[in-house]
Each structure stands twice: as structure tokens, then as C-alpha cells.
Amino acid sequence: MFRYPSSPLTSERLEIRQIRHEDLTDLFAVHSVDAVNRFLPYSTWRNEDDAQAWWERVQQRTSDGKAMQFVICDVEAARVMGACILFAYDGEHQRAELGYAIGQAYWGKGYAREAMLCFMDYAFNDIGLRRLEARVDTRNQASIQLLLRLGFTEEGCLRQWGRDHEGCIDLQLYGLLHHEWSLANDKAG
């Protein structure tokens, strides 16, 4: 069973902490942009009801201890800039899936990579996961490039895994093992 950290995770510019209901105001600015939500498994938020419905799904997903929803905060601006999640937790096999979204105003500035490096360190070294996975819409080249820069390996394509308004969606599966993460960090350090 997942347990949230006792204090926020921090990096040079960011703080990653457990989501709170009051974060929905800042998250609305993130998820009300079509470009941000294009490849996410839920629609762009159009009003407060959409934000509240998302909040209720988050509460339901996290209630069984198999998911943890976080927000990514810009420390300097004291504002939520995105969110990340660990879900599909399998304690017996020490694995989970990773998800993330960053507000469009923060794209191209290294924030997603910085957040995921911090988040992955927590997943591997504090939670003790052996494996992290990510499933990415094959059209989402920015996310694919991020995962590859983080050391993930492409493991296969889940053909026509889902549908959206454009048609069938193929998802690419990526995986990263703890020992690969440790080796990469040893080389970097």
C-alpha cells in the first residue's frame, strides 16, 4: 500500500506534494487548455464541475492505497503548475505506473524533467519500487522524448488501446527498472 511522504519532495525550482482540494483553482488553469489535455485520459476542463468530477475520481482512485496524486508547484511563483501520479501499484511485484501533466506556460523549460527526476527518485528509493511504467499516446512526441531522456526503455506498442475524438489510439509502453535508474544516477554523480 502506498503512503504519502511526510514532507514535500523538493528540487531546485519545484515542490511536489500531496494534492489538496484548494489546488483545483490552479489546476483549472492547467487542464482548461486543450493542448495540455490532448493526450490525457480525460477531457479538457470547461468549468468547475469538470474540476470537481476529476477531484472525485482522484479521491476514489487513491482511497484504496494503490494510487497517489501529487501536484507540482513552482516554488518561486508559489503556484501549482501541474500534477503527477503513481498508480496501478502492485506491492507484490514492486511496480507502479507514472503519469504527469505540466501547464503549457511551463513547457520547454525543463520543469517536467526536473519534476520527474525528483518524483522517480522518491518512487525508487523511498517507496522501494523495482519497476516504473508509463503508457504514452504514440502521437505525444514530447512525452516520449522526456521518458527516453529519463532512461526509460520502449517495450512495445499497445495497438488500438483506446479511442478519442480523432479515432483509435495506440499507446507505447515504457519501463524503467530500479537498477537502471541507480546505474544512470551513479554515472551522473
Side-chain angles (χ1 to χ4, degrees):
M1 185 165 153
F2 275 148
R3 294 195 198 293
Y4 283 98
S6 57
S7 60
L9 311 174
T10 59
S11 66
E12 183 179 334
R13 302 178 290 175
L14 305 174
E15 177 181 275
I16 301 171
R17 61 166 171 76
Q18 183 176 356
I19 190 170
R20 300 186 293 246
H21 190 269
E22 57 266 23
D23 295 325
L24 291 180
T25 301
D26 284 348
L27 285 173
F28 187 84
V30 172
H31 291 292
S32 63
V33 176
D34 287 331
V36 172
N37 281 50
R38 179 174 181 212
F39 302 117
L40 295 178
Y42 48 87
S43 299
T44 301
W45 298 0
R46 299 291 179 218
N47 52 48
E48 289 181 23
D49 290 341
D50 291 342
Q52 187 60 38
W54 180 85
W55 171 258
E56 289 169 9
R57 283 192 307 275
V58 164
Q59 295 308 300
Q60 185 177 19
R61 274 182 107 173
T62 59
S63 67
D64 67 358
K66 294 189 181 289
M68 290 191 297
Q69 181 71 56
F70 294 82
V71 290
I72 303 166
C73 304
D74 177 341
V75 173
E76 186 176 309
R79 156 173 230 133
V80 172
M81 63 188 303
C84 53
I85 186 171
L86 286 172
F87 63 103
Y89 175 62
D90 183 331
E92 179 181 354
H93 299 287
Q94 298 171 285
R95 68 177 179 241
E97 191 166 342
L98 172 76
Y100 47 85
I102 300 286
Q104 191 173 26
Y106 296 94
W107 290 2
K109 299 175 183 169
Y111 287 106
R113 185 174 188 280
E114 184 177 334
M116 289 306 96
L117 285 170
C118 181
F119 198 48
M120 291 163 52
D121 185 64
Y122 168 70
F124 283 130
N125 295 321
D126 294 342
I127 295 175
L129 294 181
R130 179 187 53 79
R131 175 182 170 83
L132 277 175
E133 298 176 353
R135 297 177 195 199
V136 181
D137 187 314
T138 56
R139 299 168 296 176
N140 189 347
Q141 289 301 305
S143 190
I144 288 169
Q145 291 307 309
L146 172 63
L147 290 169
L148 293 173
R149 282 192 316 272
L150 292 169
F152 280 79
T153 299
E154 184 178 311
E155 296 183 337
C157 184
L158 305 170
R159 299 174 302 143
Q160 295 189 12
W161 187 86
R163 297 183 55 80
D164 69 7
H165 66 282
E166 296 177 25
C168 290
I169 300 168
D170 292 342
L171 292 183
Q172 196 67 37
L173 176 64
Y174 292 87
L176 181 64
L177 304 178
H178 183 267
H179 75 271
E180 296 166 335
W181 170 256
S182 296
L183 182 63
N185 283 324
D186 287 345
K187 287 179 182 176

